[in-house]
Amino acid sequence: MRFTTFEFEGKERFGCLFDGEVADISAISGAPASLFEAIRAGKSGLEAAGKATVSAPRIPLDRIAFLPVIPRPGKVVCLGLNYAAHAAEGGREKPDYPNFFMRSATSLLGHGRPMLRPRVSQQLDFEAELAAVIGRPVPRHTPKEKALAYVAGYACFNDGSVRDYQRRTPQWTIGKNFDATGPFGPAFVPAEELPPGATGLKIESRLNGTVMQSANTADMIFPVDETIMLLSQCMTLEPGDVLVMGTPAGVGFARTPPLWMKPGDVIEIEIEDVGLLSNPVADEA
């Protein structure tokens, strides 16, 4: 199953993707009304959503607008420098502890929506990333061997970064939180349909059809289970929270000369068995 969140006739809807269509699960009485509601209900919620697809009305994809798969996460916790080759291309050592930072919900956007190059900068960069979505509250001090039981599923993410603003302060927050710079989706894939921790999957970015990044999620320094263990030492992770797991080497700032996204470009993020996230680039109005 590949679940999605979308807008149709001015309303937020919840559905399941099929070839060229989406089954509108939220139109079925008694079915989960949103992906958040489905994952909060646990395995039974996603199973109920899957069963509802049999009778759910189908809508052609050209009639909908995709939203972030979780439109308003309580927390979006991101990892920087989580692939050794990416750390090296930025002149950094392999970290001994994750470089955590936060994203806001207002920075997120759906598949197909324009990423916005802000008025104040031309240094809009791409980052192909795996997103893990938490399905139930993670107890404090959860051990690594139990951590993956709290993951509901996975999606593609593009951690679009405004590099000159990112470097204005020792903290990366400002460069990672411009509006409409964090594409997220289009599909949410339940965890049981992927390898544990979504490891061993090809991850790639393509700018205007040219491969920019190509790696494997097995190359992450801190995999999903270890990341959850470390975060649980500090905070309570809740249903719908999103962990954005870092990017491989090949980003625009590390190239000679640097390669920034510009209006008219199309950036694609593809993760094996998870999906293809594609967005055009436009200037902020």
Side-chain angles (χ1 to χ4, degrees):
M1 291 287 177
R2 280 163 171 71
F3 296 107
T4 194
T5 303
F6 64 99
E7 184 179 292
F8 179 64
E9 295 182 342
K11 295 181 180 179
E12 182 179 312
R13 314 292 290 179
F14 167 48
C16 186
L17 292 169
F18 294 92
D19 289 341
E21 296 179 317
V22 60
D24 186 3
I25 296 168
S26 50
I28 301 299
S29 177
S34 68
L35 179 56
F36 176 74
E37 182 179 314
I39 65 174
R40 187 174 55 181
K43 186 176 180 180
S44 63
L46 291 175
E47 287 178 348
K51 290 177 181 177
T53 63
V54 176
S55 54
R58 302 292 181 95
I59 305 170
L61 294 183
D62 60 7
R63 296 185 60 198
I64 71 165
F66 286 97
L67 299 173
V69 288
I70 304 289
R72 292 166 296 279
K75 293 187 284 294
V76 182
V77 184
C78 305
L79 281 72
L81 310 178
N82 200 28
Y83 289 74
H86 174 57
E89 73 180 353
R92 305 289 192 97
E93 298 292 329
K94 179 180 176 181
D96 296 321
Y97 186 85
N99 284 266
F100 289 122
F101 61 94
M102 308 291 283
R103 259 193 181 269
S104 65
T106 55
S107 73
L108 306 180
L109 69 154
H111 168 76
R113 300 283 184 101
M115 291 184 75
L116 296 183
R117 185 176 71 169
R119 294 182 190 178
V120 294
S121 175
Q122 294 188 345
Q123 295 188 13
L124 179 61
D125 207 348
F126 49 85
E127 293 192 4
E129 309 210 13
L130 173 75
V133 180
I134 300 297
R136 54 196 180 99
V138 180
R140 292 290 302 279
H141 306 289
T142 291
K144 180 177 177 179
E145 60 270 19
K146 295 184 178 180
L148 292 181
Y150 299 95
V151 178
Y154 298 90
C156 297
F157 198 95
N158 184 351
D159 186 29
S161 306
V162 182
R163 296 299 189 189
D164 46 351
Y165 275 76
Q166 181 183 343
R167 295 190 176 93
R168 286 192 175 192
T169 72
Q171 300 289 337
W172 297 348
T173 301
I174 195 66
K176 298 284 190 171
N177 279 280
F178 277 73
D179 286 350
T181 57
F184 180 24
F188 166 93
V189 179
E192 59 267 23
E193 297 186 17
L194 296 170
T199 192
L201 304 178
K202 183 178 180 179
I203 181 170
E204 190 168 273
S205 68
R206 296 184 293 271
L207 184 62
N208 302 323
T210 300
V211 174
M212 298 285 108
Q213 300 171 276
S214 187
N216 192 289
T217 57
D219 299 334
M220 289 189 291
I221 299 168
F222 301 99
V224 175
D225 54 1
E226 186 173 0
T227 296
I228 291 172
M229 177 195 74
L230 293 171
L231 285 171
S232 77
Q233 296 171 359
C234 312
M235 66 180 74
T236 299
L237 296 172
E238 300 173 308
D241 285 350
V242 180
L243 310 182
V244 182
M245 296 300 303
T247 199
V251 295
F253 85 81
R255 295 173 177 270
T256 305
L259 177 62
W260 310 120
M261 293 188 292
K262 62 186 184 304
D265 285 347
V266 175
I267 181 67
E268 296 175 315
I269 308 300
E270 187 167 16
I271 303 176
E272 181 183 359
D273 295 334
V274 177
L276 172 65
L277 172 64
S278 178
N279 296 85
V281 179
D283 268 334
E284 179 186 10

PDB file of all heavy atoms in Angstrom, residues 236-267:
ATOM      1  N   THR A 236      10.190  12.791  24.099  1.00  0.00           N
ATOM      2  CA  THR A 236       9.160  11.814  23.751  1.00  0.00           C
ATOM      3  C   THR A 236       8.762  12.007  22.299  1.00  0.00           C
ATOM      4  O   THR A 236       8.283  13.070  21.919  1.00  0.00           O
ATOM      5  CB  THR A 236       7.927  11.984  24.659  1.00  0.00           C
ATOM      6  OG1 THR A 236       8.312  11.776  26.011  1.00  0.00           O
ATOM      7  CG2 THR A 236       6.841  10.987  24.271  1.00  0.00           C
ATOM      8  N   LEU A 237       9.000  11.005  21.485  1.00  0.00           N
ATOM      9  CA  LEU A 237       8.528  11.014  20.107  1.00  0.00           C
ATOM     10  C   LEU A 237       7.082  10.537  20.096  1.00  0.00           C
ATOM     11  O   LEU A 237       6.725   9.566  20.773  1.00  0.00           O
ATOM     12  CB  LEU A 237       9.401  10.119  19.235  1.00  0.00           C
ATOM     13  CG  LEU A 237      10.857  10.569  19.085  1.00  0.00           C
ATOM     14  CD1 LEU A 237      11.681   9.499  18.367  1.00  0.00           C
ATOM     15  CD2 LEU A 237      10.954  11.887  18.354  1.00  0.00           C
ATOM     16  N   GLU A 238       6.240  11.215  19.306  1.00  0.00           N
ATOM     17  CA  GLU A 238       4.804  10.978  19.313  1.00  0.00           C
ATOM     18  C   GLU A 238       4.314  10.570  17.929  1.00  0.00           C
ATOM     19  O   GLU A 238       5.009  10.806  16.926  1.00  0.00           O
ATOM     20  CB  GLU A 238       4.088  12.239  19.778  1.00  0.00           C
ATOM     21  CG  GLU A 238       4.489  12.683  21.177  1.00  0.00           C
ATOM     22  CD  GLU A 238       3.890  14.024  21.555  1.00  0.00           C
ATOM     23  OE1 GLU A 238       4.039  14.990  20.780  1.00  0.00           O
ATOM     24  OE2 GLU A 238       3.273  14.095  22.634  1.00  0.00           O
ATOM     25  N   PRO A 239       3.116   9.990  17.832  1.00  0.00           N
ATOM     26  CA  PRO A 239       2.575   9.618  16.516  1.00  0.00           C
ATOM     27  C   PRO A 239       2.544  10.811  15.563  1.00  0.00           C
ATOM     28  O   PRO A 239       2.125  11.913  15.945  1.00  0.00           O
ATOM     29  CB  PRO A 239       1.161   9.140  16.847  1.00  0.00           C
ATOM     30  CG  PRO A 239       1.250   8.657  18.243  1.00  0.00           C
ATOM     31  CD  PRO A 239       2.222   9.572  18.926  1.00  0.00           C
ATOM     32  N   GLY A 240       3.000  10.572  14.344  1.00  0.00           N
ATOM     33  CA  GLY A 240       3.036  11.626  13.337  1.00  0.00           C
ATOM     34  C   GLY A 240       4.319  12.423  13.320  1.00  0.00           C
ATOM     35  O   GLY A 240       4.543  13.189  12.383  1.00  0.00           O
ATOM     36  N   ASP A 241       5.171  12.262  14.333  1.00  0.00           N
ATOM     37  CA  ASP A 241       6.481  12.911  14.272  1.00  0.00           C
ATOM     38  C   ASP A 241       7.299  12.300  13.133  1.00  0.00           C
ATOM     39  O   ASP A 241       7.142  11.121  12.798  1.00  0.00           O
ATOM     40  CB  ASP A 241       7.247  12.741  15.582  1.00  0.00           C
ATOM     41  CG  ASP A 241       6.714  13.627  16.704  1.00  0.00           C
ATOM     42  OD1 ASP A 241       5.880  14.511  16.428  1.00  0.00           O
ATOM     43  OD2 ASP A 241       7.137  13.428  17.860  1.00  0.00           O
ATOM     44  N   VAL A 242       8.162  13.115  12.550  1.00  0.00           N
ATOM     45  CA  VAL A 242       8.912  12.704  11.365  1.00  0.00           C
ATOM     46  C   VAL A 242      10.405  12.824  11.637  1.00  0.00           C
ATOM     47  O   VAL A 242      10.878  13.846  12.160  1.00  0.00           O
ATOM     48  CB  VAL A 242       8.535  13.576  10.142  1.00  0.00           C
ATOM     49  CG1 VAL A 242       9.316  13.137   8.905  1.00  0.00           C
ATOM     50  CG2 VAL A 242       7.033  13.498   9.874  1.00  0.00           C
ATOM     51  N   LEU A 243      11.148  11.781  11.283  1.00  0.00           N
ATOM     52  CA  LEU A 243      12.610  11.798  11.361  1.00  0.00           C
ATOM     53  C   LEU A 243      13.143  11.835   9.938  1.00  0.00           C
ATOM     54  O   LEU A 243      12.835  10.948   9.132  1.00  0.00           O
ATOM     55  CB  LEU A 243      13.135  10.557  12.083  1.00  0.00           C
ATOM     56  CG  LEU A 243      12.493  10.217  13.425  1.00  0.00           C
ATOM     57  CD1 LEU A 243      13.157   8.990  14.031  1.00  0.00           C
ATOM     58  CD2 LEU A 243      12.566  11.395  14.383  1.00  0.00           C
ATOM     59  N   VAL A 244      13.928  12.851   9.613  1.00  0.00           N
ATOM     60  CA  VAL A 244      14.486  13.023   8.268  1.00  0.00           C
ATOM     61  C   VAL A 244      15.964  12.662   8.362  1.00  0.00           C
ATOM     62  O   VAL A 244      16.738  13.333   9.055  1.00  0.00           O
ATOM     63  CB  VAL A 244      14.259  14.451   7.754  1.00  0.00           C
ATOM     64  CG1 VAL A 244      14.793  14.591   6.341  1.00  0.00           C
ATOM     65  CG2 VAL A 244      12.771  14.795   7.795  1.00  0.00           C
ATOM     66  N   MET A 245      16.354  11.590   7.640  1.00  0.00           N
ATOM     67  CA  MET A 245      17.527  10.810   7.999  1.00  0.00           C
ATOM     68  C   MET A 245      18.838  11.192   7.331  1.00  0.00           C
ATOM     69  O   MET A 245      19.776  10.397   7.314  1.00  0.00           O
ATOM     70  CB  MET A 245      17.225   9.332   7.735  1.00  0.00           C
ATOM     71  CG  MET A 245      16.111   8.759   8.601  1.00  0.00           C
ATOM     72  SD  MET A 245      16.473   8.841  10.379  1.00  0.00           S
ATOM     73  CE  MET A 245      18.000   7.930  10.456  1.00  0.00           C
ATOM     74  N   GLY A 246      18.960  12.399   6.794  1.00  0.00           N
ATOM     75  CA  GLY A 246      20.245  12.822   6.249  1.00  0.00           C
ATOM     76  C   GLY A 246      20.394  12.493   4.778  1.00  0.00           C
ATOM     77  O   GLY A 246      19.666  11.679   4.214  1.00  0.00           O
ATOM     78  N   THR A 247      21.390  13.141   4.158  1.00  0.00           N
ATOM     79  CA  THR A 247      21.550  13.050   2.699  1.00  0.00           C
ATOM     80  C   THR A 247      22.922  12.523   2.306  1.00  0.00           C
ATOM     81  O   THR A 247      23.910  12.754   3.016  1.00  0.00           O
ATOM     82  CB  THR A 247      21.309  14.438   2.066  1.00  0.00           C
ATOM     83  OG1 THR A 247      21.031  14.295   0.670  1.00  0.00           O
ATOM     84  CG2 THR A 247      22.502  15.364   2.233  1.00  0.00           C
ATOM     85  N   PRO A 248      23.006  11.835   1.166  1.00  0.00           N
ATOM     86  CA  PRO A 248      24.308  11.376   0.673  1.00  0.00           C
ATOM     87  C   PRO A 248      25.118  12.503   0.027  1.00  0.00           C
ATOM     88  O   PRO A 248      24.656  13.649  -0.099  1.00  0.00           O
ATOM     89  CB  PRO A 248      23.938  10.324  -0.378  1.00  0.00           C
ATOM     90  CG  PRO A 248      22.479  10.077  -0.231  1.00  0.00           C
ATOM     91  CD  PRO A 248      21.902  11.315   0.373  1.00  0.00           C
ATOM     92  N   ALA A 249      26.311  12.157  -0.410  1.00  0.00           N
ATOM     93  CA  ALA A 249      27.175  13.101  -1.126  1.00  0.00           C
ATOM     94  C   ALA A 249      26.568  13.464  -2.477  1.00  0.00           C
ATOM     95  O   ALA A 249      25.753  12.731  -3.030  1.00  0.00           O
ATOM     96  CB  ALA A 249      28.556  12.484  -1.329  1.00  0.00           C
ATOM     97  N   GLY A 250      27.007  14.627  -2.996  1.00  0.00           N
ATOM     98  CA  GLY A 250      26.586  15.053  -4.325  1.00  0.00           C
ATOM     99  C   GLY A 250      25.729  16.296  -4.342  1.00  0.00           C
ATOM    100  O   GLY A 250      25.222  16.685  -5.403  1.00  0.00           O
ATOM    101  N   VAL A 251      25.561  16.946  -3.189  1.00  0.00           N
ATOM    102  CA  VAL A 251      24.717  18.139  -3.132  1.00  0.00           C
ATOM    103  C   VAL A 251      25.349  19.286  -3.925  1.00  0.00           C
ATOM    104  O   VAL A 251      26.539  19.266  -4.258  1.00  0.00           O
ATOM    105  CB  VAL A 251      24.454  18.561  -1.678  1.00  0.00           C
ATOM    106  CG1 VAL A 251      23.655  17.493  -0.956  1.00  0.00           C
ATOM    107  CG2 VAL A 251      25.760  18.843  -0.944  1.00  0.00           C
ATOM    108  N   GLY A 252      24.547  20.307  -4.174  1.00  0.00           N
ATOM    109  CA  GLY A 252      24.976  21.391  -5.046  1.00  0.00           C
ATOM    110  C   GLY A 252      26.123  22.233  -4.509  1.00  0.00           C
ATOM    111  O   GLY A 252      27.005  22.647  -5.261  1.00  0.00           O
ATOM    112  N   PHE A 253      26.139  22.497  -3.195  1.00  0.00           N
ATOM    113  CA  PHE A 253      27.167  23.410  -2.668  1.00  0.00           C
ATOM    114  C   PHE A 253      28.557  22.824  -2.781  1.00  0.00           C
ATOM    115  O   PHE A 253      29.553  23.567  -2.830  1.00  0.00           O
ATOM    116  CB  PHE A 253      26.864  23.789  -1.209  1.00  0.00           C
ATOM    117  CG  PHE A 253      27.359  22.803  -0.176  1.00  0.00           C
ATOM    118  CD1 PHE A 253      28.692  22.811   0.235  1.00  0.00           C
ATOM    119  CD2 PHE A 253      26.508  21.878   0.402  1.00  0.00           C
ATOM    120  CE1 PHE A 253      29.153  21.915   1.189  1.00  0.00           C
ATOM    121  CE2 PHE A 253      26.958  20.979   1.348  1.00  0.00           C
ATOM    122  CZ  PHE A 253      28.291  20.992   1.747  1.00  0.00           C
ATOM    123  N   ALA A 254      28.671  21.485  -2.826  1.00  0.00           N
ATOM    124  CA  ALA A 254      29.976  20.826  -2.837  1.00  0.00           C
ATOM    125  C   ALA A 254      30.555  20.690  -4.240  1.00  0.00           C
ATOM    126  O   ALA A 254      31.671  20.182  -4.405  1.00  0.00           O
ATOM    127  CB  ALA A 254      29.867  19.458  -2.186  1.00  0.00           C
ATOM    128  N   ARG A 255      29.840  21.145  -5.250  1.00  0.00           N
ATOM    129  CA  ARG A 255      30.309  21.024  -6.625  1.00  0.00           C
ATOM    130  C   ARG A 255      31.137  22.241  -7.031  1.00  0.00           C
ATOM    131  O   ARG A 255      31.073  23.297  -6.396  1.00  0.00           O
ATOM    132  CB  ARG A 255      29.111  20.835  -7.571  1.00  0.00           C
ATOM    133  CG  ARG A 255      28.381  19.522  -7.314  1.00  0.00           C
ATOM    134  CD  ARG A 255      27.109  19.362  -8.110  1.00  0.00           C
ATOM    135  NE  ARG A 255      26.521  18.051  -7.840  1.00  0.00           N
ATOM    136  CZ  ARG A 255      26.789  16.945  -8.527  1.00  0.00           C
ATOM    137  NH1 ARG A 255      27.603  17.003  -9.574  1.00  0.00           N
ATOM    138  NH2 ARG A 255      26.236  15.793  -8.203  1.00  0.00           N
ATOM    139  N   THR A 256      31.930  22.083  -8.086  1.00  0.00           N
ATOM    140  CA  THR A 256      32.767  23.177  -8.592  1.00  0.00           C
ATOM    141  C   THR A 256      32.408  23.457 -10.044  1.00  0.00           C
ATOM    142  O   THR A 256      32.662  22.628 -10.909  1.00  0.00           O
ATOM    143  CB  THR A 256      34.267  22.807  -8.495  1.00  0.00           C
ATOM    144  OG1 THR A 256      34.559  22.444  -7.138  1.00  0.00           O
ATOM    145  CG2 THR A 256      35.136  23.985  -8.896  1.00  0.00           C
ATOM    146  N   PRO A 257      31.792  24.631 -10.323  1.00  0.00           N
ATOM    147  CA  PRO A 257      31.300  25.601  -9.344  1.00  0.00           C
ATOM    148  C   PRO A 257      30.059  25.066  -8.644  1.00  0.00           C
ATOM    149  O   PRO A 257      29.473  24.068  -9.088  1.00  0.00           O
ATOM    150  CB  PRO A 257      30.969  26.812 -10.219  1.00  0.00           C
ATOM    151  CG  PRO A 257      30.567  26.212 -11.528  1.00  0.00           C
ATOM    152  CD  PRO A 257      31.461  25.015 -11.717  1.00  0.00           C
ATOM    153  N   PRO A 258      29.630  25.716  -7.544  1.00  0.00           N
ATOM    154  CA  PRO A 258      28.406  25.278  -6.876  1.00  0.00           C
ATOM    155  C   PRO A 258      27.224  25.277  -7.838  1.00  0.00           C
ATOM    156  O   PRO A 258      27.132  26.105  -8.745  1.00  0.00           O
ATOM    157  CB  PRO A 258      28.218  26.312  -5.764  1.00  0.00           C
ATOM    158  CG  PRO A 258      29.591  26.841  -5.510  1.00  0.00           C
ATOM    159  CD  PRO A 258      30.261  26.852  -6.839  1.00  0.00           C
ATOM    160  N   LEU A 259      26.318  24.335  -7.631  1.00  0.00           N
ATOM    161  CA  LEU A 259      25.147  24.189  -8.491  1.00  0.00           C
ATOM    162  C   LEU A 259      23.903  24.467  -7.655  1.00  0.00           C
ATOM    163  O   LEU A 259      23.544  23.678  -6.776  1.00  0.00           O
ATOM    164  CB  LEU A 259      25.094  22.769  -9.066  1.00  0.00           C
ATOM    165  CG  LEU A 259      23.892  22.428  -9.945  1.00  0.00           C
ATOM    166  CD1 LEU A 259      23.849  23.315 -11.180  1.00  0.00           C
ATOM    167  CD2 LEU A 259      23.936  20.945 -10.348  1.00  0.00           C
ATOM    168  N   TRP A 260      23.258  25.578  -7.927  1.00  0.00           N
ATOM    169  CA  TRP A 260      22.046  25.954  -7.196  1.00  0.00           C
ATOM    170  C   TRP A 260      20.824  25.721  -8.083  1.00  0.00           C
ATOM    171  O   TRP A 260      20.886  25.919  -9.294  1.00  0.00           O
ATOM    172  CB  TRP A 260      22.100  27.424  -6.767  1.00  0.00           C
ATOM    173  CG  TRP A 260      23.358  27.834  -6.072  1.00  0.00           C
ATOM    174  CD1 TRP A 260      24.230  28.791  -6.479  1.00  0.00           C
ATOM    175  CD2 TRP A 260      23.890  27.304  -4.855  1.00  0.00           C
ATOM    176  NE1 TRP A 260      25.279  28.900  -5.589  1.00  0.00           N
ATOM    177  CE2 TRP A 260      25.098  27.995  -4.589  1.00  0.00           C
ATOM    178  CE3 TRP A 260      23.474  26.315  -3.957  1.00  0.00           C
ATOM    179  CZ2 TRP A 260      25.878  27.733  -3.470  1.00  0.00           C
ATOM    180  CZ3 TRP A 260      24.250  26.045  -2.845  1.00  0.00           C
ATOM    181  CH2 TRP A 260      25.435  26.751  -2.611  1.00  0.00           C
ATOM    182  N   MET A 261      19.724  25.340  -7.462  1.00  0.00           N
ATOM    183  CA  MET A 261      18.485  25.188  -8.213  1.00  0.00           C
ATOM    184  C   MET A 261      17.934  26.561  -8.588  1.00  0.00           C
ATOM    185  O   MET A 261      18.076  27.532  -7.841  1.00  0.00           O
ATOM    186  CB  MET A 261      17.454  24.408  -7.388  1.00  0.00           C
ATOM    187  CG  MET A 261      17.852  22.964  -7.163  1.00  0.00           C
ATOM    188  SD  MET A 261      16.524  21.968  -6.399  1.00  0.00           S
ATOM    189  CE  MET A 261      16.463  22.709  -4.765  1.00  0.00           C
ATOM    190  N   LYS A 262      17.299  26.612  -9.751  1.00  0.00           N
ATOM    191  CA  LYS A 262      16.783  27.884 -10.277  1.00  0.00           C
ATOM    192  C   LYS A 262      15.383  27.657 -10.847  1.00  0.00           C
ATOM    193  O   LYS A 262      14.984  26.509 -11.124  1.00  0.00           O
ATOM    194  CB  LYS A 262      17.722  28.432 -11.342  1.00  0.00           C
ATOM    195  CG  LYS A 262      17.879  27.542 -12.558  1.00  0.00           C
ATOM    196  CD  LYS A 262      18.921  28.066 -13.511  1.00  0.00           C
ATOM    197  CE  LYS A 262      18.997  27.214 -14.787  1.00  0.00           C
ATOM    198  NZ  LYS A 262      19.252  25.787 -14.514  1.00  0.00           N
ATOM    199  N   PRO A 263      14.621  28.735 -11.042  1.00  0.00           N
ATOM    200  CA  PRO A 263      13.280  28.589 -11.605  1.00  0.00           C
ATOM    201  C   PRO A 263      13.309  27.844 -12.941  1.00  0.00           C
ATOM    202  O   PRO A 263      14.197  28.073 -13.774  1.00  0.00           O
ATOM    203  CB  PRO A 263      12.809  30.032 -11.778  1.00  0.00           C
ATOM    204  CG  PRO A 263      13.567  30.786 -10.742  1.00  0.00           C
ATOM    205  CD  PRO A 263      14.915  30.132 -10.664  1.00  0.00           C
ATOM    206  N   GLY A 264      12.363  26.939 -13.115  1.00  0.00           N
ATOM    207  CA  GLY A 264      12.299  26.111 -14.315  1.00  0.00           C
ATOM    208  C   GLY A 264      12.932  24.747 -14.139  1.00  0.00           C
ATOM    209  O   GLY A 264      12.672  23.841 -14.943  1.00  0.00           O
ATOM    210  N   ASP A 265      13.767  24.576 -13.110  1.00  0.00           N
ATOM    211  CA  ASP A 265      14.347  23.264 -12.824  1.00  0.00           C
ATOM    212  C   ASP A 265      13.288  22.317 -12.288  1.00  0.00           C
ATOM    213  O   ASP A 265      12.254  22.730 -11.748  1.00  0.00           O
ATOM    214  CB  ASP A 265      15.455  23.382 -11.771  1.00  0.00           C
ATOM    215  CG  ASP A 265      16.743  23.985 -12.317  1.00  0.00           C
ATOM    216  OD1 ASP A 265      16.884  24.089 -13.548  1.00  0.00           O
ATOM    217  OD2 ASP A 265      17.617  24.349 -11.496  1.00  0.00           O
ATOM    218  N   VAL A 266      13.572  21.021 -12.403  1.00  0.00           N
ATOM    219  CA  VAL A 266      12.761  19.977 -11.769  1.00  0.00           C
ATOM    220  C   VAL A 266      13.705  19.082 -10.978  1.00  0.00           C
ATOM    221  O   VAL A 266      14.690  18.565 -11.520  1.00  0.00           O
ATOM    222  CB  VAL A 266      11.985  19.145 -12.808  1.00  0.00           C
ATOM    223  CG1 VAL A 266      11.256  17.985 -12.114  1.00  0.00           C
ATOM    224  CG2 VAL A 266      10.985  20.019 -13.560  1.00  0.00           C
ATOM    225  N   ILE A 267      13.413  18.919  -9.695  1.00  0.00           N
ATOM    226  CA  ILE A 267      14.242  18.080  -8.834  1.00  0.00           C
ATOM    227  C   ILE A 267      13.449  16.841  -8.429  1.00  0.00           C
ATOM    228  O   ILE A 267      12.296  16.937  -8.011  1.00  0.00           O
ATOM    229  CB  ILE A 267      14.733  18.863  -7.593  1.00  0.00           C
ATOM    230  CG1 ILE A 267      15.622  17.985  -6.707  1.00  0.00           C
ATOM    231  CG2 ILE A 267      13.577  19.476  -6.812  1.00  0.00           C
ATOM    232  CD1 ILE A 267      16.951  17.606  -7.330  1.00  0.00           C
TER     233      ILE A 267
END
